[in-house]
Amino acid sequence: QSALTQPRSVSGSPGQSVTISCTGTSSDVGGYNYVSWYQQHPSKAPKLMIYDVSKRPSGVPDRFSGSKSGNTASLTISGLQAEDEADYYCCSYAGTYTRVFGTGTKVTVL
Amino acid sequence: EVQLVESGGGLIQPGESLRLSCAASGFTVSGNYMSWVRQAPGKGLEWVSIIYSAGDTYYADSVKGRFTISRDNSKNTVYLQMKSLRAEDTAVYYCTKGYSLSHDAFDIWGQGTMVTVSS
């Protein structure tokens, strides 16, 4: 159950787009369409942003989108806003009823 | 309002036991899959355990054999019994509710309860 690999940080100016990658293996990301993404502001609980690779829960802005290719999932934030500055974690089902989180990515709005 | 409130965290010595509680409101724990996720200080999220509506339970390798997840439907509460605690179990423990529209996502999170294992 090794953590999925994410870049430590990404940054962008307001209005720009940023993409966060989440790399796993064929036993997790590549094997199932159950990748979710969570946003966490400092000292706050995580918030679900994307589920089942590319679906958005009600209330999440459509600036957030998800995709997957092979063993790598991605979260794209379009039209970056100041309130998007936070840590982001991917999570994938890994079989036998277990799941694994990513290492986390800090998004900085310049 | 749909809400999860954790309790039971604290400072505990290595080798001892602790039970965390997660009181739910606005939905029934028995009708949803419920999970515990932890976060060590300054570190990332780590999935710990899950209990499905049918009652089956599963654990991360790092806690298997030491932690037990359970629920009390009459109290609408989920528990995490932790034994043989180690320094590396030090973390904020979050209780989460499974998202009904997904096989595997968590849409409601508690505020977390801090567990510190230290002598």
Side-chain angles (χ1 to χ4, degrees), chain A:
Chain A
Q1 293 178 345
S2 298
L4 308 175
T5 301
Q6 297 180 232
R8 291 186 67 90
S9 63
V10 300
S11 61
S13 299
Q16 288 186 331
S17 293
V18 296
T19 296
I20 303 167
S21 61
C22 168
T23 302
T25 69
S26 58
S27 297
D28 37 63
V29 175
Y32 308 93
N33 287 322
Y34 297 126
V35 176
S36 51
W37 289 88
Y38 300 86
Q39 175 192 66
Q40 186 179 35
H41 287 109
S43 301
K44 298 292 188 182
K47 174 186 176 183
L48 177 65
M49 304 302 285
I50 295 288
Y51 68 98
D52 293 359
V53 176
S54 60
K55 300 175 182 177
R56 274 189 315 277
S58 173
V60 173
D62 59 7
R63 303 184 290 104
F64 292 86
S65 62
S67 62
K68 190 184 85 166
S69 177
N71 297 336
T72 298
S74 298
L75 174 72
T76 297
I77 310 173
S78 305
L80 199 61
Q81 297 184 6
E83 59 261 37
D84 299 335
E85 186 162 294
D87 293 327
Y88 291 82
Y89 294 91
C90 61
C91 182
S92 174
Y93 183 71
T96 55
Y97 302 102
T98 65
R99 66 273 311 143
V100 59
F101 279 93
T103 50
T105 298
K106 180 176 180 58
V107 170
T108 300
V109 181
L110 301 172

Side-chain angles (χ1 to χ4, degrees), chain B residues 15-90:
Chain B
E16 295 191 335
S17 300
L18 194 66
R19 189 180 79 161
L20 305 182
S21 300
C22 170
S25 56
F27 70 98
T28 60
V29 297
S30 60
N32 293 272
Y33 57 99
M34 302 290 296
S35 198
W36 289 92
V37 175
R38 68 185 181 183
Q39 186 170 35
K43 303 296 184 182
L45 301 173
E46 180 188 14
W47 175 75
V48 173
S49 180
I50 193 167
I51 182 167
Y52 288 94
S53 54
D56 41 333
T57 60
Y58 300 90
Y59 303 89
D61 287 345
S62 57
V63 306
K64 198 174 296 181
R66 300 188 299 122
F67 290 13
T68 302
I69 190 172
S70 63
R71 69 184 183 218
D72 184 330
N73 296 339
S74 67
K75 296 182 178 179
N76 209 29
T77 297
V78 175
Y79 302 98
L80 186 67
Q81 177 70 51
M82 305 183 293
K83 303 187 308 182
S84 303
L85 282 162
R86 308 165 179 166
E88 53 264 37
D89 295 318
T90 294

